[in-house]
Amino acid sequence: MSKRVLVIAPHPDDETLALGGAITKFINQGHEVHLLIVSGHLPPVYKQEDYDITINEAHNAFKVMGVTNFTFLEIPATQIGDLPIHELNKKFTDIVDMLKPHMVFCPYPDRHIDHRIVFESTMVATRPVGSGKNIEILGAYETLSETHWNAPHIEPNFTPNWIIDISDFIDIKIQALGCYKSQISDFPGPRSIEAVKSLANFRGTQAGFAYGEAVHIIRKIS
């Protein structure tokens, strides 16, 4: 049965870093995948040209993964918190009400302030009332490098309880990530192609297959 899947990403590239393989897998399985990109490299912190570059890269990555449904909220990066919280919550809730997704994925509340705020607003928009009752799986994903820079035992540690097998889609994930030339770094950078592939390899072997993407399931109904 086809499902509606919503992946909420704080910035362009987070969706591919975290779930590029799963996104491609879901699409190949016939599911309807929607991406919500909350923020981007916009003025005043960044130049408009920076945003234009990353948006073009995002479109190229989406094509590689087969994504045709996406929304950019165009909130300046690192300034999501400047938006009144009720306004941000409404933007998220409006998307959930419109799509009525069966699965929702959001960032784990990690080192990046944007990730933590997006997590909080996702939790509000996906409460099990109204359209939220349609949500069968709500999960938080890890993002190199931010998730792994949390202070152990002082802040929450990412502990996955679902590994999605992306062994058949790792090459597409890496190809899509390669579209983000302005964002990926050389090895041993945490967002290098080698690091991303190594993490996928490690996650896969945790569950008995070659490559995987990790999710912490927040809520699951059946």
Side-chain angles (χ1 to χ4, degrees), residues 129-149:
V129 295
S131 299
K133 290 182 179 180
N134 294 308
I135 300 171
E136 300 170 4
I137 295 178
L138 172 63
Y141 55 74
E142 63 182 334
T143 311
L144 282 170
S145 54
E146 307 294 351
T147 306
H148 309 112
W149 285 343

Side-chain angles (χ1 to χ4, degrees), residues 39-86:
S39 178
H41 294 148
L42 284 157
V45 178
Y46 301 91
K47 298 177 181 178
Q48 181 65 43
E49 306 91 87
D50 296 328
Y51 182 71
D52 294 340
I53 288 171
T54 55
I55 292 304
N56 183 63
E57 292 173 342
H59 282 292
N60 291 334
F62 296 171
K63 288 179 183 177
V64 171
M65 294 185 289
V67 174
T68 57
N69 304 298
F70 47 85
T71 301
F72 294 94
L73 293 185
E74 298 188 333
I75 302 171
T78 72
Q79 296 189 325
I80 299 177
D82 292 346
L83 196 69
I85 193 63
H86 70 277

Side-chain angles (χ1 to χ4, degrees), residues 105 136-140 158-162 215-221:
F105 298 92
E136 300 170 4
I137 295 178
L138 172 63
F158 180 77
T159 306
N161 49 19
W162 181 19
V215 174
H216 182 96
I217 296 176
I218 300 166
R219 187 172 76 244
K220 183 179 185 294
I221 64 172

Side-chain angles (χ1 to χ4, degrees), residues 7-194:
V7 177
I8 302 175
H11 319 98
D13 83 346
D14 289 331
E15 78 295 324
T16 305
L17 281 163
L19 293 174
I23 289 169
T24 306
K25 181 174 184 174
F26 291 149
I27 292 171
N28 276 263
Q29 290 176 334
H31 302 310
E32 182 182 318
V33 177
H34 296 257
L35 304 183
L36 174 61
I37 312 299
V38 179
S39 178
H41 294 148
L42 284 157
V45 178
Y46 301 91
K47 298 177 181 178
Q48 181 65 43
E49 306 91 87
D50 296 328
Y51 182 71
D52 294 340
I53 288 171
T54 55
I55 292 304
N56 183 63
E57 292 173 342
H59 282 292
N60 291 334
F62 296 171
K63 288 179 183 177
V64 171
M65 294 185 289
V67 174
T68 57
N69 304 298
F70 47 85
T71 301
F72 294 94
L73 293 185
E74 298 188 333
I75 302 171
T78 72
Q79 296 189 325
I80 299 177
D82 292 346
L83 196 69
I85 193 63
H86 70 277
E87 292 184 18
L88 184 63
N89 290 347
K90 185 176 186 304
K91 289 179 184 293
F92 281 41
T93 301
D94 285 348
I95 293 288
V96 171
D97 287 343
M98 178 182 68
L99 297 179
K100 293 180 173 55
H102 300 101
M103 292 189 281
V104 177
F105 298 92
C106 69
Y108 192 78
D110 57 33
R111 174 57 34 233
H112 200 306
I113 184 63
D114 287 350
H115 293 203
R116 297 199 295 272
I117 294 171
V118 168
F119 169 83
E120 293 289 349
S121 283
T122 301
M123 292 302 295
V124 171
T126 58
R127 291 174 294 187
V129 295
S131 299
K133 290 182 179 180
N134 294 308
I135 300 171
E136 300 170 4
I137 295 178
L138 172 63
Y141 55 74
E142 63 182 334
T143 311
L144 282 170
S145 54
E146 307 294 351
T147 306
H148 309 112
W149 285 343
N150 276 19
H153 307 297
I154 298 174
E155 298 176 296
N157 294 340
F158 180 77
T159 306
N161 49 19
W162 181 19
I163 308 296
I164 302 171
D165 186 353
I166 64 162
S167 300
D168 292 337
F169 303 98
I170 183 64
D171 291 340
I172 295 178
K173 175 187 174 89
I174 296 304
Q175 183 183 348
L177 185 62
C179 295
Y180 285 106
K181 298 187 186 303
S182 69
Q183 302 303 307
I184 59 176
S185 56
D186 294 331
F187 186 77
R191 292 196 172 193
S192 62
I193 295 295
E194 294 89 342

